[in-house]
Amino acid sequence: MISTISSTKFPQLLPPTHQIYKSKRFQFYCYASISTAPLSAVSTTNSTCVISNFENQIHEIERLCEQSNTEAAILLTEQLIKDGFPIQLQIFLLLLQCCAGSRSLASVRKTHYLITRSQPKTSTLVFSYLASIYCKLGGLTDARQLLDKKLQKPKPGNKRKETYEKVRELHKEIREIGYVPDTRYVLQDIDEEAKEQSLMYHSERLAIAFGLISTPPGTTLRIMKNLRICGDCHNAVKLMSKVVEREIIMRDNKRFHHFRDGVCSCGDFW
Ligand SMILES: [Zn+2]
Ligand SMILES: [Zn+2]
């Protein structure tokens, strides 16, 4: 029975009562054994035996943690993971608490590794607890790496590449519903194909592509432009609002254009 855990900062770390805790694990393991072993191989006696052994090992981990024997508790958890047992969140939280108590950064790292191995999708609770322990024990680089990984910050280069890919994809789609580039809006003396390319990368179209890859579907895009929108962009953006099913509100130096479902609020006069 775990009765020594207490944390005012992380009250949710308190494990549920022993009975619920136990029965949850029991169901969890039963499920695992049925799904991984051939039906004929799962005899009731064997399962009960394995489960009871697993239960004992978990009790042993709890006992080791209570005695602040962090290293042994980690070793035993590692063995259980190697044997294919599902380790529940509460056990990892208990281990982390134990690591924090023994002020061992190495143990926190080891437990962190075991968590990643056992639960590929780290829960927010474990994540915040890990980050706070790393900070408390001076593992600031570890905490930063953890945060970076969690936020999955895209590198600026990638976002730029994605934006350009998105703008090309958008043009393919609007061409299918009738977009024909109006190259009269390109004043440079270049060939037709280059003129079409140049129109495709006008800043407002890149802004729309960037908005599309950066916001959830359906979000209204708001774009500011300090010059007047060109006629070809106006036409392209109307069609874009239709293919992507988004409202696009654009403010140029003259007025607001509210694009929706292939038409603009200005009625093509601006
Ligand atoms: Zn334009
Ligand atoms: Zn308009």
Side-chain angles (χ1 to χ4, degrees):
M1 182 71 175
I2 309 157
S3 54
T4 51
I5 304 176
S6 64
S7 166
T8 45
K9 211 169 173 192
F10 295 97
Q12 62 273 60
L13 292 187
L14 288 168
T17 67
H18 191 60
Q19 207 178 356
I20 301 168
Y21 192 28
K22 196 172 167 181
S23 81
K24 263 194 181 170
R25 239 182 1 238
F26 182 85
Q27 285 170 6
F28 196 2
Y29 186 64
C30 277
Y31 175 75
S33 74
I34 289 164
S35 64
T36 53
L39 205 55
S40 58
V42 184
S43 82
T44 323
T45 330
N46 278 349
S47 315
T48 315
C49 188
V50 173
I51 290 160
S52 116
N53 189 32
F54 176 53
E55 293 275 295
N56 288 341
Q57 305 276 43
I58 293 292
H59 285 310
E60 181 62 13
I61 295 173
E62 289 166 355
R63 196 183 60 78
L64 289 166
C65 284
E66 273 178 35
Q67 294 171 351
S68 304
N69 196 344
T70 320
E71 262 189 57
I74 292 175
L75 270 176
L76 186 52
T77 311
E78 188 176 17
Q79 191 53 51
L80 287 177
I81 294 172
K82 270 188 192 157
D83 293 344
F85 286 95
I87 305 296
Q88 291 225 305
L89 196 62
Q90 285 91 339
I91 291 298
F92 286 124
L93 293 173
L94 189 61
L95 278 177
L96 284 174
Q97 190 137 5
C98 193
C99 295
S102 62
R103 305 201 56 81
S104 160
L105 202 52
S107 303
V108 182
R109 289 188 183 125
K110 181 85 189 167
T111 308
H112 184 184
Y113 167 73
L114 293 180
I115 293 169
T116 325
R117 224 176 114 179
S118 168
Q119 313 192 335
K121 258 193 109 180
T122 311
S123 79
T124 310
L125 176 60
V126 171
F127 163 78
S128 47
Y129 197 37
L130 254 174
S132 100
I133 293 177
Y134 272 138
C135 290
K136 232 182 256 174
L137 301 185
L140 295 181
T141 316
D142 298 275
R144 199 174 302 124
Q145 276 173 355
L146 185 69
L147 202 69
D148 282 350
K149 210 172 166 208
K150 178 81 178 170
L151 296 176
Q152 294 270 312
K153 273 189 187 159
K155 293 188 182 77
N158 289 349
K159 205 73 173 173
R160 190 170 185 273
K161 194 169 157 241
E162 267 183 73
T163 303
Y164 276 82
E165 276 168 10
K166 186 71 191 172
V167 96
R168 286 191 285 272
E169 182 192 305
L170 270 176
H171 280 79
K172 239 189 219 170
E173 288 178 59
I174 59 174
R175 273 178 185 271
E176 280 169 18
I177 59 164
Y179 168 70
V180 179
D182 187 346
T183 53
R184 287 175 304 165
Y185 289 98
V186 183
L187 302 175
Q188 299 106 301
D189 186 19
I190 46 178
D191 67 38
E192 276 302 294
E193 204 185 332
K195 282 182 180 175
E196 288 180 12
Q197 289 278 323
S198 149
L199 285 169
M200 184 157 74
Y201 300 124
H202 275 189
S203 63
E204 48 271 65
R205 304 190 204 190
L206 289 170
I208 289 169
F210 180 81
L212 288 171
I213 60 171
S214 314
T215 56
T219 313
T220 300
L221 300 179
R222 289 184 168 76
I223 288 153
M224 301 282 283
K225 186 170 163 73
N226 53 8
L227 296 171
R228 186 173 179 270
I229 181 174
C230 84
D232 191 63
C233 279
H234 195 268
N235 185 32
V237 176
K238 280 196 293 182
L239 297 170
M240 284 175 189
S241 73
K242 191 178 173 80
V243 295
V244 299
E245 293 176 359
R246 297 260 200 142
E247 284 184 44
I248 302 168
I249 299 169
M250 196 181 291
R251 172 89 174 101
D252 71 3
N253 65 345
K254 291 266 179 202
R255 57 166 295 158
F256 275 102
H257 298 267
H258 192 156
F259 300 93
R260 186 163 58 181
D261 200 25
V263 290
C264 181
S265 58
C266 74
D268 298 338
F269 293 102
W270 77 97

